[in-house]
Amino acid sequence: MKKIALLLTAFIGISALQSCTIEEYYNEENYEGYSQVFELPNETLSTLEDAYTYSATWNFTTPIFDGDNVLVYRWQGNSWTLVPVSYNLGGSDMVKYDYDFTRYDVKVYFSANFPVAELSNAEYNDFVYRQTFRVVVVPGNFQQKMNFSDYNATISALGLENAPVKILQTKK
């Protein structure tokens, strides 16, 4: 009887330690044209995270795959700059952009090493008000080693030169 109880306990223990996994596969149907580029045009980073940080969040039109990566670029008047990026305002004052993402959305942060309420009107207009970002989804199986800081080279490597740029809506 003790052997049956021991075997039953071992079986239940082994069964309980098993975990469920969900595997995503890139196949012809869902991989075709999967690399994507989105634009976040003329957006104001208006959510006050804390005294030092503004942010804005955008929902993807469809969830991205778990293994995918996201790159964010900021338009600087004549070129796209890869985020994260920092700017020196003079003296010890610094501002920076950063981002994070999930399968469902992307969030861009603007932060300063001083309270953002102290930004001058010109600084606010240059860094917070009506900013344009591009979000590039890089498939998890993308094998090419490259420097992603060049937006045009990234788009070319992903085969997105002629792809439509989709507009994302700000998350409410």
Side-chain angles (χ1 to χ4, degrees):
M1 185 68 162
K2 287 184 181 180
K3 289 182 181 181
I4 293 174
L6 182 61
L7 285 174
L8 185 60
T9 303
F11 177 73
I12 291 171
I14 290 171
S15 297
L17 293 176
Q18 296 295 317
S19 64
C20 296
T21 60
I22 298 173
E23 295 184 24
E24 296 174 316
Y25 295 98
Y26 293 101
N27 60 35
E28 292 296 323
E29 185 177 308
N30 66 9
Y31 181 73
E32 187 67 35
Y34 182 70
S35 299
Q36 301 174 73
V37 62
F38 299 98
E39 188 161 294
L40 319 169
N42 297 315
E43 294 287 342
T44 299
L45 304 176
S46 59
T47 302
L48 188 61
E49 297 280 326
D50 58 39
Y52 302 91
T53 307
Y54 285 119
S55 71
T57 304
W58 296 269
N59 289 324
F60 289 119
T61 52
T62 57
I64 63 174
F65 289 107
D66 281 336
D68 292 344
N69 199 0
V70 168
L71 302 171
V72 174
Y73 296 86
R74 177 180 175 258
W75 182 248
Q76 285 200 215
N78 60 358
S79 65
W80 294 103
T81 301
L82 183 63
V83 173
V85 61
S86 298
Y87 301 94
N88 186 341
L89 300 181
S92 63
D93 291 345
M94 298 279 298
V95 297
K96 70 175 182 174
Y97 291 95
D98 207 344
Y99 71 98
D100 63 27
F101 68 95
T102 69
R103 293 186 63 207
Y104 307 100
D105 59 28
V106 60
K107 186 177 207 175
V108 175
Y109 300 92
F110 167 82
S111 60
N113 64 349
F114 56 90
V116 291
E118 295 176 11
L119 287 169
S120 69
N121 285 339
E123 291 167 340
Y124 180 84
N125 288 336
D126 286 345
F127 294 108
V128 179
Y129 182 69
R130 296 186 61 146
Q131 301 297 301
T132 299
F133 298 95
R134 287 253 170 111
V135 174
V136 178
V137 176
V138 180
N141 67 349
F142 184 70
Q143 301 281 326
Q144 186 175 341
K145 290 189 183 256
M146 64 177 295
N147 180 353
F148 290 106
S149 62
D150 182 341
Y151 172 79
N152 292 321
T154 300
I155 293 301
S156 179
L158 293 169
L160 295 171
E161 304 96 323
N162 299 317
V165 176
K166 302 169 190 167
I167 305 297
L168 290 181
Q169 299 301 314
T170 305
K171 187 175 190 176
K172 302 292 180 195

